[in-house]
Amino acid sequence: MIQKGVEIPNTFRMKVKADYFVEYDSEEVLAEIDFDALPKPHFHIGCGSNLLFTGDFHGTILHSGIKSIEMNRDADGVVEVRAGAGVVFDDLCGWTAAQGLWGLENLSHIPGEVGASAVQNIGAYGVEVKDVISSVRCYDILERVFVEFPADECGYGYRDSIFKHQGIKGRYIVTAVTFRLSTEVRPRLDYGHLRSAVETACGGSHSGSGLPEGLTPSLVREVVTQIRKGKLPEPSETGSAGSFFKNPVVEQSVYDSILKAIQEESGAEAIVPHYPAGENQVKIPAAWLIEQCGWKGHVHGGAAVYEKQPLVLINHSGHALPSDILELESMIIDSVRSRFGILLSPEVDHL
């Protein structure tokens, strides 16, 4: 299906249009598209999450309508689930949890679609999607063939993959992702207060293995969903692109300097939240840095910093202009750099 001059779906609710919008519902239809005849640039979206359109898109937006889900069970408890790129990612999390499969439950309630999840390497609560991806199937628009990338060839890093890099970006269109899940009880509960929240949901009792009694993927999914709903805006109610900034990774010495300054300012008991991020490196939550600079709840034009989670920029008025978001982004980056010497990087793609 090819349409002209239609509004581009995006979770920020920016009123922007594309010269051409192309949606396909199968690999066969995708392979028949004449990309040379479509206005350039070409850009592929999921449901428009993790994107900030800075104006109308003068080119072609593509979207996958491939929504198939297939499952292949092995004898050793390993289950491979292959999902079409157009499947809503949270729907897949719900489906796999209902099947009793472990692996995706911590990623519940992240907006977007399956194809975009593999490009962005989405993550939450101690899990990144690369941890459970087996392979990514793509269409190569240059060679006009379908190819399969094993996970170890996808160049996965923090919110990164080869599909976002020069020379690869735009060449390959994800059509399906295969996830390697398990029927064995394999919860990942050691991030933040997830374990205590899950234990409360289970009634506080434990099995002989030391895990909470009655633990299931669906229960963990429900807890994660409730936590996210409690601190993040619902895309159906408030426009946003989810987490706007990446959590910066800094040298241990940088963290030590920040901790020293905070303790001199607020007392020896003050802490700076952080997580190990490799040899001599530390990840500091961007939300903490932003809040320390006083931006939580700040309104700028039609945009704002979400009052419950400063990592999220929102379309506060419902009529925010892209410039409102861009100006607010710039002010936050300058503020954090001035106070902490850390340069925040946006997680959201700007188009």
Side-chain angles (χ1 to χ4, degrees):
M1 178 182 67
I2 300 178
Q3 296 176 286
K4 296 182 180 180
V6 300
E7 194 166 296
I8 306 170
N10 66 98
T11 60
F12 240 134
R13 296 188 180 182
M14 292 293 157
K15 304 299 182 183
V16 290
K17 293 183 177 181
D19 290 350
Y20 280 73
F21 185 87
V22 178
E23 187 171 55
Y24 53 90
D25 59 7
S26 70
E27 288 188 345
E28 292 73 22
V29 172
L30 173 61
E32 293 174 356
I33 295 175
D34 184 358
F35 285 90
D36 293 332
L38 293 173
K40 296 179 180 178
H42 304 151
F43 190 81
H44 204 290
I45 66 171
C47 64
S49 60
N50 208 56
L51 293 173
L52 172 62
F53 285 95
T54 58
D56 288 343
F57 188 83
H58 298 297
T60 303
I61 294 291
L62 297 109
H63 178 255
S64 172
I66 302 176
K67 299 182 181 295
S68 57
I69 300 178
E70 302 171 357
M71 181 168 61
N72 180 32
R73 292 180 179 268
D74 291 344
D76 60 358
V78 173
V79 179
E80 288 201 334
V81 173
R82 191 179 190 90
V87 174
V88 173
F89 187 79
D90 188 53
D91 289 349
L92 178 66
C93 293
W95 187 88
T96 58
Q99 301 295 318
L101 303 179
W102 291 90
L104 293 177
E105 60 281 352
N106 287 36
L107 303 176
S108 294
H109 207 60
I110 295 178
E113 295 176 355
V114 165
S117 76
V119 173
Q120 178 70 2
N121 186 25
I122 61 173
Y125 299 100
V127 175
E128 290 182 316
V129 76
K130 71 174 179 62
D131 300 335
V132 289
I133 286 179
S134 174
S135 64
V136 180
R137 181 171 170 82
C138 301
Y139 180 63
D140 182 342
I141 65 173
L142 293 184
E143 299 294 334
R144 304 296 177 89
V145 295
F146 288 93
V147 294
E148 195 95 11
F149 288 92
D152 60 5
E153 294 181 9
C154 291
Y156 281 126
Y158 176 53
R159 304 298 179 267
D160 195 21
S161 72
I162 59 171
F163 307 113
K164 301 179 74 173
H165 292 195
Q166 194 71 25
I168 298 293
K169 184 177 182 179
R171 174 175 175 175
Y172 296 97
I173 294 177
V174 177
T175 60
V177 181
T178 300
F179 300 90
R180 190 174 177 84
L181 309 177
S182 177
T183 57
E184 295 182 14
V185 181
R186 296 180 178 178
R188 299 280 293 274
L189 305 177
D190 295 327
Y191 189 92
H193 64 285
L194 181 58
R195 180 177 294 275
S196 61
V198 168
E199 288 177 344
T200 298
C202 289
S205 59
H206 292 75
S207 65
S209 65
L211 293 172
E213 191 74 39
L215 192 63
T216 65
S218 291
L219 187 143
V220 175
R221 167 177 161 76
E222 181 179 345
V223 170
V224 167
T225 298
Q226 290 305 312
I227 292 173
R228 291 183 64 86
K229 284 184 174 181
K231 66 179 184 180
L232 298 172
E234 286 293 309
S236 60
E237 300 171 1
T238 304
S240 84
S243 298
F244 197 91
F245 296 100
K246 297 178 182 178
N247 292 320
V249 175
V250 302
E251 296 292 326
Q252 180 70 46
S253 59
V254 173
Y255 168 78
D256 292 340
S257 296
I258 292 173
L259 177 61
K260 181 180 178 181
I262 290 295
Q263 290 182 338
E264 289 175 351
E265 177 183 305
S266 303
E269 301 302 317
I271 63 171
V272 175
H274 63 286
Y275 305 94
E279 187 176 355
N280 201 38
Q281 291 188 314
V282 173
K283 181 185 293 185
I284 301 176
W288 182 87
L289 296 168
I290 295 167
E291 184 169 0
Q292 291 298 305
C293 291
W295 289 101
K296 192 174 184 179
H298 182 87
V299 177
H300 177 76
V305 179
Y306 192 52
E307 68 274 10
K308 294 181 181 180
Q309 171 51 274
L311 192 58
V312 177
L313 306 188
I314 62 172
N315 185 343
H316 177 70
S317 66
H319 306 284
L321 300 173
S323 58
D324 294 336
I325 304 293
L326 291 171
E327 290 167 4
L328 182 56
E329 172 193 6
S330 180
M331 291 188 293
I332 290 171
I333 289 174
D334 289 346
S335 177
V336 170
R337 179 169 49 191
S338 176
R339 179 168 182 187
F340 295 108
I342 293 177
L343 180 63
L344 292 182
S345 298
E347 179 177 324
V348 171
D349 287 333
H350 296 49
L351 296 178

